[in-house]
Amino acid sequence: MSTTTIEKPLKNKSKEVLNFSKKQYLKWYKDMLLMRKIEERIGHLYIQQKFGGFCHLYIGQEAVVAGTASACAKEDKHITAYRDHAHPIALGVHPKYMVAELYGKKTGMSKGKGGSMHMFNKEVNLMGGHGIVGAQIPMGAGIAFADQYKGNKGVTYCSFGDGAARQGALHETFNMAMMWKLPVVFIIENNNYAMGTSVKRTTNVEDMSEIGKSYHMPSFVVDGMSVEAVHNAIEEASQRARDGEGPTLLDIRTYRYKGHSMSDPQKYRTKDEVEDFKDKDPVSQVLDTIMSNKLASESDIKKIQQDVKDLVDESIKFAEESPELEPHELYEDVYMQKDYPFIKD
Amino acid sequence: MAEIVRMPKLSDTMTEGVVAEWHKKVGDNIESGELLAEIETDKATMEFESFQEGVLLHIGVQKGDTAPVDSILAILGEKGEDIAKLLEEEKSTNAKVDEKEIEKPDRNKS
């Protein structure tokens, strides 16, 4: 792997008319850089066995969640798969709670009982991190149904990969979601590989937005390497949901630079392919726009980079120094009822 | 200051690894993110990129050899740095770890 180029812009673009504020660009840059940098460290910590379990990195896909978070409203809800380290960061959770969760510590987002694949946070309506491939598709529609039934505002963003999109439950869900006009946005984080199997090896319909069209669901292909494109698509889809017009399917074309999980030798793709995608790196694109439009000085950028580095160090230190769970906590948070008979003594 | 590069755990079930190939030799300068070696795990042969930097001072596991996770794969540091002390320290820490493991059953009894 060549060193990532996010420290400096990709190329010198000429000044352009921007549709987003300086503040928005700087927030995107900081959040996405934080996702990238913290996950690079997480990868190293994993192979040094600082924590166990599974580990699926989001590196390369940052624009998808960053663009979703910037376009959503506070009351909206989020549900995703097990590639979920970046979601809490995008939604404004301090990354130290996510790292502590990886370490299985008491201070973790899910009290150390979920690990890498199960990041939850009530305050920002992050309804998980789910390990069962595609299970969050019907669950996401279920959350949207609950909101509609109870008369709550709020849209649910339901993210899943291109592999999970092949689960049968997707079709039942799409049918009901359209039938009841549920306020849900289905987001395919299409990184082109279901573990090691490319989209074209699993289907004769490579354009995944076609799946929604058979239910007359508004469906679009989105450039997932551009945070602006993702933001715009999400904003439009949420408006439709808020107006009572029901769900939208977004086939967001992204790419992951790292393996499916930590034990993926990546023999299914060439190094050139990975490098080609790095040329349109989502974090570098944002930095490029900031620099070529003079939205910040070099020292402003250096400060953001330093802040990110400090946040990463602080988060890892917090996780390492946090206490382990007590044995009795094994029996807590299992059932809704406080004294469920089954787990009493 | 010389640093130890340990045999990485590249899969959930990996307990030992075989060095299938070294991409660097002693004396080479290593940047973070550079391909250091190929390691055969219980699942596959994986490329191992260094996340440490420095000159490769010592190779702990030769090509074709097997070593447990966490053992010394290599040592990186500054050119000409003395690594004898580091290797010595590692030996004595391992000895201490062994002692602790022997003590364990007694502690559990109490």
Side-chain angles (χ1 to χ4, degrees), chain A residues 70-104:
Chain A
S70 60
C72 76
K74 205 170 178 293
E75 68 267 18
D76 292 348
K77 299 182 175 71
H78 305 262
I79 187 166
T80 187
Y82 41 80
R83 201 177 297 286
D84 63 348
H85 304 159
H87 265 71
I89 296 176
L91 297 172
V93 178
H94 193 294
K96 66 184 181 183
Y97 301 115
M98 178 270 285
V99 183
E101 188 56 42
L102 295 174
Y103 274 70

Side-chain angles (χ1 to χ4, degrees), chain A residues 12-77:
Chain A
N12 279 319
K13 278 199 297 195
S14 55
K15 213 169 166 175
E16 59 203 314
V17 182
L18 299 175
N19 295 319
F20 298 95
S21 68
K22 166 185 162 177
K23 199 176 150 198
Q24 180 64 76
Y25 275 106
L26 292 177
K27 180 164 171 43
W28 276 332
Y29 180 61
K30 185 175 178 182
D31 286 358
M32 290 162 75
L33 187 68
L34 178 58
M35 294 170 196
R36 176 75 54 92
K37 290 292 170 191
I38 207 160
E39 280 211 303
E40 284 176 356
R41 287 285 291 281
I42 287 170
H44 302 156
L45 294 167
Y46 182 83
I47 60 173
Q48 294 176 86
Q49 304 167 77
K50 297 284 186 184
F51 64 92
F54 290 89
C55 183
H56 306 84
L57 301 178
Y58 200 70
I59 294 177
Q61 304 187 191
E62 294 90 348
V64 183
V65 75
T68 304
S70 60
C72 76
K74 205 170 178 293
E75 68 267 18
D76 292 348
K77 299 182 175 71

Side-chain angles (χ1 to χ4, degrees), chain A residues 257-270:
Chain A
Y257 303 159
K258 301 284 178 183
H260 164 78
S261 68
M262 296 303 291
S263 48
D264 174 3
Q266 302 174 58
K267 304 285 186 211
Y268 48 83
R269 61 182 181 187
T270 63

